[in-house]
Amino acid sequence: MSQKIKLTEGKITVPSIKKGRKISAVTAYDFTFAEIVDEAGVDIVLVGDSLGSVIKGEKNTLSVTLDEVIYHTKAVSRGLKRSLLLADMPFMSYQISVEKGVENCGRALSEGFAEGVKIEGGISVASLIERLSLIDIPVMGHVGLTPQSVHRMGGYKVQGKENRKKIIDDARAVQDSGAFSVVLEGIPSDLAEEITDRLKIPTIGIGAGSKCDGQILVLYDLLGLSGGTPPKFVRQFSNLREASTKALKEYVEAVKNENFPDSGESYTLRKVQ
Ligand code: KIV
């Protein structure tokens, strides 16, 4: 029986994420933004556990569940044609044992339709990455400032000042166990550059300077939707929060003034003779 393979022109796949060209990545959590991000030509879409903060309004990512990640990944998958879709494995979905981790990462692919997973940690998750690679579940690693370790770090603090060697060793362990790429978060630019030069797999930076092979940002930060003061490493490419508030104020006024809906926005019954 021949298998039907549907090819989308220019589809970003795991093997196409290579060094040699700059890689753009963002997070997304729903169908509509997935369509927008895909149309804009973003290479990688990550359903980040940052959904804990931007979707659920939590202080950190620790309460995000695998079912929530799968729910959002499935929604995003329906909006993507070209971008590579990765699911971020939440806290306690892969730390208990390699077996449990493999089973849960498998669910992200079979139920969420992700094309790969992202896992925080270096040497500590190397054996899991090895197993996943053996059974063809592509893995993006994540070292440096790992938000699921917020309590160990004592907050979201730049890493690699005192533990530079540990971060280099973590990044190498992620590569050697079979990951296809690695996120470098919250580390000094020169350390990110050194790791990028040493690794064969592409590095994707966030708060790690411009010398990484690619960059990733939380979509709501990039679009200026998040409230409060953005972290130093964020560039707001738009101010959708201000634009949305303005639009909503105009709507409230229009409702109050009976200016909305007008006759063109209303249905009328035609009299039948
Ligand atoms: O959860 C997330 O959004 C992330 C990225 C920003 C790297 O882990």
Side-chain angles (χ1 to χ4, degrees):
M1 198 176 77
S2 76
Q3 238 185 335
K4 273 201 185 135
I5 301 172
K6 206 175 129 204
L7 290 176
T8 305
E9 183 120 14
K11 170 81 182 98
I12 304 293
T13 58
V14 167
S16 60
I17 301 297
K18 288 197 279 258
K19 274 185 163 348
R21 68 173 185 90
K22 286 283 179 180
I23 300 158
S24 56
V26 292
T27 66
Y29 317 95
D30 66 26
F31 170 77
T32 303
F33 271 127
E35 280 193 320
I36 294 170
V37 160
D38 191 80
E39 277 164 25
V42 170
D43 296 316
I44 300 175
V45 176
L46 171 74
V47 179
D49 64 356
S50 50
L51 74 87
S53 328
V54 297
I55 304 294
K56 294 172 67 184
E58 301 282 4
K59 273 206 304 285
N60 58 48
T61 60
L62 301 184
S63 68
V64 174
T65 66
L66 180 61
D67 284 342
E68 286 169 344
V69 169
I70 289 174
Y71 171 90
H72 287 279
T73 305
K74 210 187 288 182
V76 169
S77 78
R78 297 188 190 112
L80 300 184
K81 290 195 181 92
R82 176 186 169 275
S83 312
L84 180 73
L85 174 59
L86 302 181
D88 203 6
M89 295 308 289
F91 182 57
M92 294 317 285
S93 68
Y94 59 94
Q95 289 91 344
I96 295 167
S97 67
V98 168
E99 279 65 36
K100 196 78 201 147
V102 168
E103 188 182 332
N104 286 337
C105 291
R107 285 188 60 199
L109 270 65
S110 61
E111 296 175 38
F113 306 115
E115 295 162 283
V117 295
K118 179 172 80 60
I119 290 172
E120 291 185 14
I123 294 166
S124 62
V125 291
S127 50
L128 173 60
I129 299 177
E130 214 164 294
R131 273 286 297 281
L132 292 168
S133 305
L134 278 174
I135 58 166
D136 295 336
I137 297 185
V139 180
M140 172 183 272
H142 185 162
V143 304
L145 193 170
T146 45
Q148 290 173 22
S149 314
V150 59
H151 298 308
R152 186 211 8 109
M153 295 182 300
Y156 298 109
K157 295 180 181 160
V158 173
Q159 301 295 300
K161 289 178 181 166
E162 290 95 40
N163 54 350
R164 196 178 168 95
K165 181 170 179 308
K166 161 91 173 88
I167 292 173
I168 297 172
D169 290 347
D170 276 340
R172 191 183 291 282
V174 162
Q175 165 182 281
D176 293 350
S177 48
F180 72 94
S181 61
V182 61
V183 168
L184 304 180
E185 178 165 358
I187 59 172
S189 310
D190 69 307
L191 174 56
E193 186 174 1
E194 184 180 341
I195 295 173
T196 302
D197 287 346
R198 284 183 181 212
L199 294 191
K200 292 190 209 79
I201 58 170
T203 59
I204 313 291
I206 173 162
S210 63
K211 300 295 184 206
C212 299
D213 297 300
Q215 296 291 328
I216 184 163
L217 279 176
V218 169
L219 182 66
Y220 285 36
D221 290 345
L222 179 165
L223 294 178
L225 267 171
S226 307
T229 314
K232 175 183 163 73
F233 61 82
V234 167
R235 184 183 299 175
Q236 293 183 325
F237 287 84
S238 187
N239 194 337
L240 290 195
R241 194 176 179 101
E242 205 174 283
S244 306
T245 308
K246 182 171 174 288
L248 286 162
K249 281 184 174 166
E250 283 170 17
Y251 166 69
V252 170
E253 265 321 289
V255 170
K256 275 190 196 154
N257 300 337
E258 292 186 22
N259 180 10
F260 174 80
D262 64 18
S263 58
E265 291 154 341
S266 308
Y267 297 105
T268 47
L269 276 182
R270 279 215 199 101
K271 277 203 184 121
V272 183
Q273 300 279 326

